[in-house]
């Protein structure tokens, strides 16, 4: 796929019926697609009634299975390869979000990204390196790509919420600890929540944490 091609997506307008005040972007994990996290829009809408939700397909077919999508390949898991892949995905994703922001008359300061697994990695990579940044990031079972190099590349400091299961065997829990420490060292506002018995996934408690974090980030007073 040419990085300038538009990403396929699903979207849901604000539950309030008003013009959108926020754009919430879902970024799925490797091997999934745009439909994977999209049901979370219904779960989050009561907490973010003026938010427009969009869930993007990753730009590339999953190269380790006959179905699903990927933001970048994991066939080569070297630090250099992961960073190069994330950088390519970053260009494509930024163009997609810019287009949607123009359509909705919003700015990057009204964007939050919710990523799971590889989607969480992409959300963190992009939000910290884009000059425009974004308002907030919720990373479920994600990781920080190239934490050592980030200090020379960071351009923005969004509010970040890391949520990770201690029983995760896909993205080991140490990735959560390393990301938290690296972000703290760079004075990025970060909250971190570990789920003792959770594996590689999002549970109801984690969803509630993410919803509360986004309400706080956007200064929304909850009626729930």
């Amino acid at each position: 796929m040419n990085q300038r091609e538009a990403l396929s997506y699903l979207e849901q307008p604000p539950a309030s019926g008003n013009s959108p005040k926020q754009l919430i972007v879902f970024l799925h994990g490797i091997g999934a697609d745009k439909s994977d996290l999209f049901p979370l829009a219904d779960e989050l809408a009561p907490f973010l009634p003026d938010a427009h939700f969009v869930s993007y397909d990753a730009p590339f077919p999953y190269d380790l299975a006959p179905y699903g999508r990927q933001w970048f390949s994991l066939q080569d898991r070297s630090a250099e390869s992961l960073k190069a892949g994330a950088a390519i995905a970053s260009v494509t994703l930024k163009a997609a979000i810019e287009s949607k922001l123009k359509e909705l008359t919003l700015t990057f300061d009204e964007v939050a990204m919710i990523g799971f697994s590889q989607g969480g990695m992409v959300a963190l990579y992009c939000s910290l390196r884009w000059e425009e940044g974004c308002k907030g990031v919720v990373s479920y079972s994600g990781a920080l790509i190239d934490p050592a190099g980030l200090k020379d590349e960071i351009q923005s400091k969004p509010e970040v919420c890391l949520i990770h299961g201690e029983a995760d065997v896909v993205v080991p829990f140490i990735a959560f600890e390393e990301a938290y420490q690296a972000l703290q060292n760079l004075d990025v506002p970060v909250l971190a929540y570990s789920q003792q018995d959770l594996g590689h996934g999002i549970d109801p408690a984690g969803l509630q944490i993410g919803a509360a974090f986004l309400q706080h980030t956007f200064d929304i007073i909850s009626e729930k």
Side-chain angles (χ1 to χ4, degrees):
M1 175 181 177
N2 185 298
Q3 66 184 31
R4 295 183 180 179
E5 291 180 20
L7 297 179
S8 176
Y9 61 88
L10 298 170
E11 63 182 328
Q12 180 170 304
S16 67
N18 298 327
S19 297
K21 295 181 181 178
Q22 302 92 25
L23 175 64
I24 309 299
V25 176
F26 294 117
L27 305 177
H28 65 77
I30 194 167
D33 61 25
K34 62 191 175 187
S35 65
D36 187 52
L37 296 182
F38 190 61
L40 297 184
D42 286 335
E43 300 290 333
L44 293 173
F47 299 91
L48 304 163
D50 293 321
H52 187 101
F53 297 91
V54 61
S55 184
Y56 290 107
D57 262 344
F60 305 107
Y62 184 29
D63 58 11
L64 295 176
Y67 53 84
R69 311 288 300 178
Q70 65 186 23
W71 297 96
F72 51 86
S73 177
L74 292 180
Q75 291 199 46
D76 179 355
R77 301 195 180 207
S78 67
E80 295 79 8
S81 179
L82 296 181
K83 184 175 180 179
I88 292 171
S90 173
V91 175
T92 310
L93 179 60
K94 186 177 182 183
I97 293 176
E98 285 176 334
S99 177
K100 183 56 62 177
L101 289 175
K102 183 177 181 180
E103 176 188 328
L104 299 176
T105 320
L106 295 174
T107 67
F108 274 94
D109 196 47
E110 293 156 320
V111 173
M113 291 190 275
I114 300 176
F116 173 70
S117 193
Q118 191 181 70
M121 300 176 197
V122 171
L124 290 170
Y125 182 91
C126 295
S127 63
L128 296 163
R129 288 172 171 83
W130 290 345
E131 184 178 354
E132 301 86 349
C134 70
K135 187 69 171 179
V137 173
V138 181
S139 172
Y140 291 100
S141 300
L144 197 61
I145 294 174
D146 189 28
L150 181 58
K151 65 180 182 298
D152 297 321
E153 299 176 0
I154 189 168
Q155 296 197 63
S156 183
K157 295 183 179 181
E159 295 187 44
V160 173
C161 180
L162 305 175
I163 305 171
H164 211 117
E166 294 182 19
D168 194 335
V169 296
V170 178
V171 179
F173 186 68
I174 191 173
F176 165 86
E177 298 174 313
E178 290 174 347
Y180 180 59
Q181 188 61 58
L183 294 176
Q184 278 199 317
N185 290 344
L186 292 169
D187 296 321
V188 174
V190 56
L191 298 175
Y193 299 89
S194 60
Q195 311 283 88
Q196 184 174 5
D197 298 317
L198 181 66
H200 194 63
I202 303 173
D203 66 1
L207 186 60
Q208 289 285 326
I209 291 169
F213 168 79
L214 292 174
Q215 282 191 315
H216 175 77
T217 298
F218 287 116
D219 197 24
I220 296 171
I221 299 175
S222 177
E223 296 181 358
K224 291 184 69 63

